[in-house]
Amino acid sequence: VLAAPAIAQTNPKITWRLTSSFPKGLDTIYGGADTFSKYLSEATDGNFQIQPFAAGELVPGLQAADAVSAGTVEACHTVAYYYWGKDPTWALPSAVPFALNARGMNAWHYHGGGIDLANAFFGQHNIVAFPGGNTGVQMGGWFRKEIKTVADLSGLKFRIGGFAGAIVSKLGVIPQQIAGGEIYQALEKGTIDAAEWVGPYDDEKLGFQKVAPYYYYPGFWEGGPTVHLMFNKAKFEELPANYKSLVRTAAQATDANMLQKYDYVNPMAIKKLVAAGAQLRPFSPEILNACFDAAQETYAELVSSNENFKTIWESIIAFRKEHFLWQQVAEFTNDTFMMQLQRAGKLG
Amino acid sequence: VLAAPAIAQTNPKITWRLTSSFPKGLDTIYGGADTFSKYLSEATDGNFQIQPFAAGELVPGLQAADAVSAGTVEACHTVAYYYWGKDPTWALPSAVPFALNARGMNAWHYHGGGIDLANAFFGQHNIVAFPGGNTGVQMGGWFRKEIKTVADLSGLKFRIGGFAGAIVSKLGVIPQQIAGGEIYQALEKGTIDAAEWVGPYDDEKLGFQKVAPYYYYPGFWEGGPTVHLMFNKAKFEELPANYKSLVRTAAQATDANMLQKYDYVNPMAIKKLVAAGAQLRPFSPEILNACFDAAQETYAELVSSNENFKTIWESIIAFRKEHFLWQQVAEFTNDTFMMQLQRAGKLG
């Protein structure tokens, strides 16, 4: 038989736009879109271009997925929980209270069927999505006064995101929606009592410690939030096979890269914040347990009323209990010993 | 001015071989080479082929980097600490006792200058390398008898890898070199007293619990070991720019993917092992502290005698103390609470 002739494949010229939900000032999370774009462009000699735009340049930040769903923009970089108001199922592949940490989330996405389960849902909205970043667990936010008991939550005006806000509202918190640029002034004036933003690296730029010095942790509603790269499904399906694969590979690398960067920059930032007056405070066991119970109540309601939610949530929690069992063995013990050495000043 | 004419770039046909240090039976760690090869091939329509070979098919597993250095094989997938006998500096970009965990290691590699520092060293051996996998912290191994004190280590015949073996030998351990396939029989006969392999998923296939039931943790000599993809430097430099970038992107995705897979499969495996009779045991604080002191002594010696070692080690430890400070705040607190819920049976 004759060998098939060698055909030199070309990388076809494709130019897409990507709308980010983030301002450029959040260079680590916004930067995920730049990283992804660079990986694609470089691997194709500049033929596959996805140009990132900051929140508001093309579309408001919180409407990024809507624009992709409608096909007015080919791609976006966003957090799926922003869209929980349409259906709380949106929140599950990103972050919900007391779910997985970053490593657990990634294990579930890539090897526990998470990416496929999420796309079965996103597909109903003409979207194909891949994980495209993770911040690691976030901080719990900045509080003007210490909060110690569940009673302290009552009437607390707290700037906190959608789905998590709905859960803590069961404990008397009054969730507030305020754009990032207005938080400082609202805290200063006392219009709000507390605000969560991201973690030390991003928070440090905004100087919250000057007006709300109590910096609580952990942000239990975002144990390891996944940021998604989303694509209009019809546009994605039109890509040649090599570009489809490259998108997945570049997204997986981008996803890892964001967490790697946060893990590198957060330690320096937390030290700066403490030096500048931030007072670190853990949430009390009483508050954590009450919030967990409130979350469980919400999950039970949603599982019984929302089939999409049920399917994905049951997959997450089946893995969650195994993940936090295994993490107790080698990882936790190793980290604990290393932290003891750190506290004893033995790590140099 | 006239625009430059659009030139359709092609993906040139390149076929390389990659020699793995691992047998195919270790499907997660060996599988990293398959993943990498698939990502490259798919993204280039099959034009950039890197064919993986298992340990021994082309080159013995522990000589993979030598073959790449000499240019007899273009690429390998290996653990750099295998080559510590040439120079202990080789061990640093992979794993040494009491260094970083997986997230810390990745933060240092990608954003703390680790990849460049490692390549300044690997370049002296005609090698360019990128992280291409991580197992997460390993287990401490299988012991025929319980060990509780440093005195119990004296004369202990322990199958443990090179650099870590040299350190624990300071405490009386007699390190043993035995190929994976012969460990079971050696433990059964009592030729050796203990053996470390990888972690639950890989260990479970070998049935060690039947002959050495005490399964110790953590494997403090591999807090988050990096597996490397290495390339002959001259061959790598000949690649077109788009392939060079694609190699880096695919390696970063492969690196993440291996940890993601281990994190998904280890929980099920640890449960099976315990059900089959494995007795989980943490190393005692006495043993951990004595091993840390022995490691510190070794590091001090090497820093004063080996300029390459000094440069890389000082970069790692400068980040290590910051990493384990920050990890104590939100991550540790969040994980601790989730583990408490797991132990209380509240995670479903």
Side-chain angles (χ1 to χ4, degrees), chain A residues 8-11 39 42-43 45 98-99 101-103 106-107 110-112 136-139 200 217-218 220 223 242 245-246 249-250 252-253 256-257 259-261 263-264 266-267 270-271 288-289 292 296 319-322 324-339 341-343 346-348, chain B residues 8-11 39 42-43 45 47 98-99 101-103 106-107 110-112 136-137 139 200 217-218 220 223 242 245-246 249-250 252-253 256-257 259-261 263-264 266-267 270-271 288-289 292 296 319-322 324-339 341-343 346-348:
Chain A
Q9 300 286 339
T10 59
N11 288 323
Y39 288 171
E42 286 183 357
D45 270 321
F98 305 106
N101 59 13
R103 279 178 58 177
N106 281 332
Y110 290 95
H111 296 279
V137 67
Q138 299 201 353
M139 291 291 283
Y217 60 90
F220 53 79
N242 66 322
S245 175
L246 179 60
T249 299
Q252 191 172 20
N257 195 68
L259 183 62
Q260 289 154 357
K261 185 163 176 193
D263 281 345
Y264 192 71
N266 273 329
I270 193 89
K271 288 175 71 174
L288 289 175
N289 280 301
F292 178 72
Q296 289 290 86
F319 178 57
R320 182 181 61 171
K321 68 175 189 291
E322 311 295 351
F324 284 111
L325 171 61
W326 160 236
Q327 291 279 303
Q328 285 171 56
V329 185
E331 289 288 349
F332 187 79
T333 313
N334 189 62
D335 285 349
T336 300
F337 183 68
M338 295 306 296
M339 290 173 192
L341 293 172
Q342 193 280 332
R343 293 175 85 98
K346 289 189 177 176
L347 294 186
Chain B
Q9 300 286 338
T10 61
N11 288 322
Y39 288 171
E42 285 183 358
D45 270 320
N47 286 304
F98 305 106
N101 59 14
R103 279 177 59 176
N106 282 332
Y110 291 95
H111 297 279
V137 69
M139 290 292 283
Y217 61 89
F220 52 80
N242 66 323
S245 175
L246 179 60
T249 299
Q252 191 172 19
N257 195 68
L259 183 63
Q260 288 154 358
K261 184 162 177 195
D263 281 345
Y264 192 72
N266 273 328
I270 192 88
K271 288 175 71 174
L288 288 175
N289 280 302
F292 178 72
Q296 290 289 85
F319 178 58
R320 182 181 62 171
K321 67 175 189 292
E322 311 295 350
F324 285 111
L325 171 62
W326 160 236
Q327 290 280 303
Q328 285 170 55
V329 185
E331 290 286 349
F332 187 80
T333 313
N334 188 63
D335 285 348
T336 300
F337 183 68
M338 294 306 296
M339 290 175 193
L341 293 171
Q342 193 282 331
R343 292 176 86 98
K346 291 189 177 176
L347 294 187

Side-chain angles (χ1 to χ4, degrees), chain B residues 205-266:
Chain B
K205 299 172 191 162
L206 300 180
F208 297 138
Q209 74 281 356
K210 285 176 271 180
V211 287
Y214 301 102
Y215 197 21
Y216 275 85
Y217 61 89
F220 52 80
W221 50 93
E222 305 189 61
T226 294
V227 179
H228 275 92
L229 287 157
M230 294 184 179
F231 306 91
N232 177 271
K233 196 177 177 187
K235 295 279 180 187
F236 185 81
E237 295 303 339
E238 285 167 15
L239 289 176
N242 66 323
Y243 281 11
K244 280 185 193 157
S245 175
L246 179 60
V247 162
R248 283 190 297 267
T249 299
Q252 191 172 19
T254 299
D255 181 43
N257 195 68
M258 188 188 294
L259 183 63
Q260 288 154 358
K261 184 162 177 195
Y262 269 117
D263 281 345
Y264 192 72
V265 297
N266 273 328

